[in-house]
Amino acid sequence: MAGEFLLEIRRGTQSALLVIRYETGLPSSPVDVSVAADRLEVRSGGSCEVAALPAEVSLAPSSCRGLSHLPGEGLHLRMRLCRPPPSADLVFTLRESLKPQKNYIFYCQSCGDIIVKERKFLRVLPLPSENWSALVEEWCCHPDPFARSTLHPQRGDCFLGDTFFLLNSGSESLKSKENTRVICKRCKTMLGETVSSDTIKYYVTEVIIRPSEGSFSPTLRSQFVQNMVSQILAELSSAKSTFRFTIKGDNGKIYILIWLLNSDTLLVESLGRSSSHSGFTLFGDTFMPSSGPVGTWNAVKVLYQPCIKSRNKDIADAWENDIGVHPLTFPSETCMELLLILGLSTASLPPSLRYMNSFQV
């Protein structure tokens, strides 16, 4: 008996789904599952395994219901919480951290090489949505007054988009006026592209920005992409009530369709000695936040459809023409990385929780 578990908590509804896993079906001897406010116990035969829950999680044992056994997965049951866990901090950290009149250094996220040295911003301003010009045409009763205007940053400006930021190239010489890929000199990763002769677009998934007086510490690539994309989805859904997204590459192709279900999920998982080989291990050892017996993750829960190699073309075309769907553009290589991360996440769930209708979870 493994006794490993996965606890999926919804903060908003103060509800939880508990899955207790067995490696090979139910054991021959009776199983006694005990749920306390702060721990889980599984007894079978002469063995007893106890898992203490994190301090922020408090279960209501009397609310347990819907006990069922699914072959190949283990026991499923639902319950309520005594109190909601602390809210997740999913603020878009880039917009919160960039401030005027401070010096910043830009690093390549993949290798840590310095991209921009000692840049001080006089203004840090958000850009309007990508469809802003179309909205102006709908609201104006006369020709678009901004038709010939371009939102390009001047020296000392930093303009923030949904997935990128624009900088004035300053003293840097650009080889081409526009549509030239900006590549890291050390690791050759695509960081962005030139928008004009004096403007560079950097993607938020490719660059780390730190105050010049601070220190730089590398972050695992997969973890960084997860965190950044999660923050973008959470922010846009909160600010614009947008829950469907197309993930596009810089080549204009759609790679993934994403439907955000919620951003208030808390995952709690046992990290036993066999967890690195378990189908329940969240993303494998590469993604482990700690080496303790129990791991916790703030998570966004999404439905998604891959669109590579012309898969799901009909629904992708329908979403692209739907004004309720928000497009997000990243480098094509990052889109493929994100698709791999989503696939690993799906594979980490019990089989019965991996699909919802025709979408993967």
Side-chain angles (χ1 to χ4, degrees):
M1 182 180 67
E4 297 172 5
F5 72 90
L6 173 67
L7 186 64
E8 180 181 325
I9 295 172
R10 285 292 310 278
R11 289 181 171 87
T13 59
Q14 297 186 43
S15 59
L17 168 65
L18 173 64
V19 181
I20 299 177
R21 176 180 178 267
Y22 294 92
E23 292 181 349
T24 54
L26 283 173
S28 56
S29 57
V31 178
D32 181 14
V33 178
S34 177
V35 178
D38 59 349
R39 69 186 186 279
L40 301 172
E41 294 184 10
V42 179
R43 299 174 182 271
S44 180
S47 65
C48 175
E49 299 198 22
V50 181
L53 298 176
E56 65 269 25
V57 176
S58 180
L59 303 177
S62 60
S63 66
C64 293
R65 68 189 189 280
L67 177 63
S68 62
H69 171 254
L70 296 183
E73 295 187 21
L75 298 176
H76 288 229
L77 67 154
R78 296 185 177 274
M79 66 194 73
R80 299 193 62 79
L81 305 181
C82 293
R83 61 178 183 274
S87 60
D89 184 13
L90 291 174
V91 176
F92 195 3
T93 55
L94 178 65
R95 299 189 180 191
E96 291 295 319
S97 61
L98 280 178
K99 303 294 183 183
Q101 305 299 332
K102 288 189 175 183
N103 290 321
Y104 293 96
I105 298 177
F106 293 64
Y107 301 89
C108 170
Q109 197 283 321
S110 297
C111 70
D113 193 29
I114 294 179
I115 306 302
V116 179
K117 297 180 180 179
E118 295 291 337
R119 180 68 65 92
K120 177 186 286 188
F121 299 121
L122 302 179
R123 299 189 303 173
V124 179
L125 302 173
L127 287 167
S129 64
E130 295 186 17
N131 300 322
W132 73 276
S133 57
L135 295 176
V136 170
E137 293 178 357
E138 295 292 333
W139 283 96
C140 287
C141 58
H142 49 80
D144 183 358
F146 306 106
R148 296 184 179 180
S149 301
T150 55
L151 297 176
H152 288 176
Q154 303 301 311
R155 289 179 180 269
D157 288 345
C158 178
F159 291 172
L160 300 174
D162 292 335
T163 63
F164 62 89
F165 50 91
L166 300 180
L167 296 183
N168 188 278
S169 58
S171 59
E172 300 176 36
S173 59
L174 302 181
K175 295 181 180 180
S176 176
K177 290 186 177 181
E178 57 183 339
N179 298 330
T180 299
R181 291 162 66 96
V182 178
I183 306 297
C184 174
K185 295 178 181 179
R186 178 190 290 177
C187 68
K188 309 305 179 184
T189 297
M190 178 190 174
L191 305 175
E193 58 192 54
T194 59
V195 176
S196 68
S197 59
D198 61 355
T199 302
I200 301 178
K201 173 196 289 186
Y202 288 108
Y203 288 102
V204 298
T205 52
E206 314 307 316
V207 175
I208 292 179
I209 306 174
R210 293 288 184 268
S212 57
E213 66 273 11
S215 59
F216 173 78
S217 57
T219 304
L220 288 174
R221 175 66 183 164
S222 52
Q223 182 180 340
F224 182 83
V225 171
Q226 284 188 90
N227 291 343
M228 191 58 68
V229 174
S230 297
Q231 290 166 9
I232 293 171
L233 296 180
E235 184 193 39
L236 289 175
S237 65
S238 176
K240 302 181 179 181
S241 296
T242 299
F243 303 97
R244 290 184 295 161
F245 304 87
T246 55
I247 305 299
K248 290 185 174 182
D250 59 288
N251 56 8
K253 295 181 180 179
I254 296 179
Y255 283 77
I256 315 170
L257 307 178
I258 289 183
W259 196 326
L260 177 64
L261 288 183
N262 65 71
S263 57
D264 66 346
T265 294
L266 176 66
L267 295 177
V268 182
E269 185 184 20
S270 61
L271 306 179
R273 56 183 178 273
S274 62
S275 63
S276 60
H277 307 290
S278 166
F280 281 20
T281 299
L282 197 62
F283 310 135
D285 293 341
T286 305
F287 298 85
M288 290 301 181
S290 66
S291 58
V294 175
T296 60
W297 293 263
N298 291 316
V300 295
K301 190 171 185 178
V302 302
L303 307 180
Y304 70 96
Q305 291 272 23
C307 295
I308 58 175
K309 298 181 179 179
S310 298
R311 293 178 61 185
N312 301 302
K313 186 177 185 305
D314 291 342
I315 186 173
D317 291 342
W319 279 35
E320 191 168 23
N321 296 321
D322 190 331
I323 60 173
V325 178
H326 193 86
L328 298 174
T329 302
F330 300 98
S332 300
E333 296 86 349
T334 302
C335 295
M336 294 300 293
E337 286 181 273
L338 180 58
L339 188 57
L340 175 60
I341 290 170
L342 288 169
L344 291 172
S345 175
T346 299
S348 74
L349 296 171
S352 62
L353 303 180
R354 294 177 185 174
Y355 296 91
M356 185 176 292
N357 297 330
S358 60
F359 285 80
Q360 298 182 64
V361 179

